[in-house]
Structure formats: C-alpha cells, structure tokens
Amino acid sequence: SCQARILEIESLSVRYGGIYALRGVSLSIAAGECITLVGANGAGKTTLLRAISKLVPSKGIIRFAGQSIAGRSPHELVRLGIAHCPEGRQVLARQTVRDNLLLGAYCRRDEAQIAQDLEEQLKRFPRLRERQHQLAGTLSGGEQQMLAIARALMSRPRLLLLDEPSLGLAPNLVREIFAILAQLRQQGMTMLLVEQNAHLALQLGDRGYVLEAGQMTLSGQASDLLNDPRVQQAYLG
Ligand code: ATP
C-alpha cells in the first residue's frame, strides 16, 4: 500500500518471568486504518497494547510514524501521539468528569485548543456533558467507558489503542460505544481495537489479526476474517 505506515511492529516478544506472553509478533497499521485484534482469553492482546504503550518491556521493533520507540517513556508516547484506553477504564473515581477529561490533555500546553477539544468531546458524548461536574466514580460502567475514550481523545492522538471497550456493558451501551467508534473511524482516526466481541469488532475494522497463545496466526481484510471458518468456529460462536 502507498499509505503511510503509522505503526510497524516486527518480531515482538514479551516475557513474564519465563513465560512468553507474545512471541515473534508482527503487525502494521496505515494512517486512517481501523485494525481489529481478536483472540481468546490470555492470548496476549492486552500485553500487545501495553508493549506499544511501553507499559511492559518487550524485545523486537516498534516504530511509530517511522521512528523506533525504543527508550521512550509512556508519557513521551502520549506526546508523540499514542493514546491508550485501558481495559477496565481506569478513570479517576474521586475527580470530576471534567477534570478527568482535562487530565487527558496533560501533555499539551495549547490552552485555547484544549478548551475547544473539551467542548468537542462533550458534544460527542452528551451523557458526559450532563455529568461533567459529577465524580467519575459515580458514573455507570458504560459512562465510565465513554469517559475513558473521551479522555484518550483529549491528547489529540494519531493512534488510539482500545482495550475491550465493550467489556461488561449492556447491549444498548455496546451499540452506543461502537457507533461512536464508527464515527471516529469515519473521521479518519487510526485505531487498534482489542475486543471479545469479535463480530462487532470485525464489522467495524478494515483489517484484522488473530492472536493465539502469543502468536499471530491469521490476518487479513476484516470482511474475509468474518467469513473465515476458522475465525467463525473459534470466535464468532
Ligand atoms: P484477556 O482477554 O483475558 O484480557 P489477553 O489476550 O489480553 O487476555 P494478556 O492479558 O495479554 O491476554 O495475557 C497474556 C498472558 O500473559 C496470560 O497468560 C497472562 O496470564 C500472562 N500475564 C499477563 N500479565 C502478566 C503479569 N503481569 N505477570 C505474569 N503474567 C502475566
């Protein structure tokens, strides 16, 4: 493809003690692509996102926008343009919704733009506007997930990493979250999405990868993966 690669991963391995969580993983993402990562519990999906964010040490190559991220710290990566929306949301329960959102912009100094982006996120997530002065810990699970996504967007990312955004949510909220992800995709946001809900996630994605026991076993167009009997049998029930 002639599209610029925003993320390139080659031969990535992560070990916890003696056990490999990832072994020889390669993946690439072009600017504007939405990539779906599918895999069973414990396959290493969260570990891959954490390696990209430098939250766990890894071996191998990770390039972001053409540059190796070796030696970078997690907060430098946020400044470079990688935002990580972690599993389990991890919003600051004792701070207001609004302060959580502003924390997403902690690496920025452009105050006027930050105010504009805050307004944009409150427009995108009307439930958050209504609750902006409420403590984040009082939000429902789905609302906390929205807050986690909005907070990640406040860093103006060039790559958004999403770990199980639909986990534990009621079906109507899952639909609401996926509608927002579809809108982000249409606006050109580059995304790497980890999901148990393989069906919805592959419907959203341009391409997908399948991770099994720490290794990439399949990749292709998301529509082809949806129709692949191996994927259907293992992940689509
Ligand atoms: P899930 O869908 O259940 O979250 P996953 O695909 O995200 O699974 P990971 O969380 O990346 O999988 O875990 C991959 C493997 O690494 C698992 O066997 C897990 O037990 C192990 N692992 C993860 N974190 C650690 C850790 N901090 N110390 C030791 N082992 C770990």
Side-chain angles (χ1 to χ4, degrees), residues 16 21 40-47 87 164 196:
Y16 296 115
N41 284 327
K45 306 179 298 297
T46 295
T47 298
E87 188 173 6
E164 304 271 10
Q196 292 279 326

Side-chain angles (χ1 to χ4, degrees), residues 1 19 21 25 35 40 60 73-74 76 85-86 96 98 102 112 116 125 132 156 159 172 189 192 195 198 206:
S1 147
I19 296 169
V25 164
I35 301 293
S73 65
E76 282 178 303
C85 208
T96 64
R98 190 184 176 85
L102 289 170
Q116 224 174 48
F125 297 97
Q132 60 176 308
R156 287 220 168 175
L159 171 65
N172 62 326
M189 178 62 67
L192 177 54
E195 257 295 331
D206 299 297

Side-chain angles (χ1 to χ4, degrees), residues 14-17 19-22 39-50 56 87 163-164 167 194-196 211 214:
V14 172
R15 272 175 20 174
Y16 296 115
I19 296 169
Y20 279 93
L22 293 176
N41 284 327
K45 306 179 298 297
T46 295
T47 298
L48 180 57
L49 296 192
R50 291 177 63 81
V56 293
E87 188 173 6
D163 198 349
E164 304 271 10
L167 193 71
V194 163
E195 257 295 331
Q196 292 279 326
L211 194 57

Side-chain angles (χ1 to χ4, degrees), residues 17 72 100 102 119 142 153-154 189 194 198 210 215 223 227 229:
R72 299 281 190 178
N100 268 273
L102 289 170
E119 181 53 32
L153 292 172
M154 284 298 293
M189 178 62 67
V194 163
V210 177
Q215 294 184 294
S223 52
N227 292 314

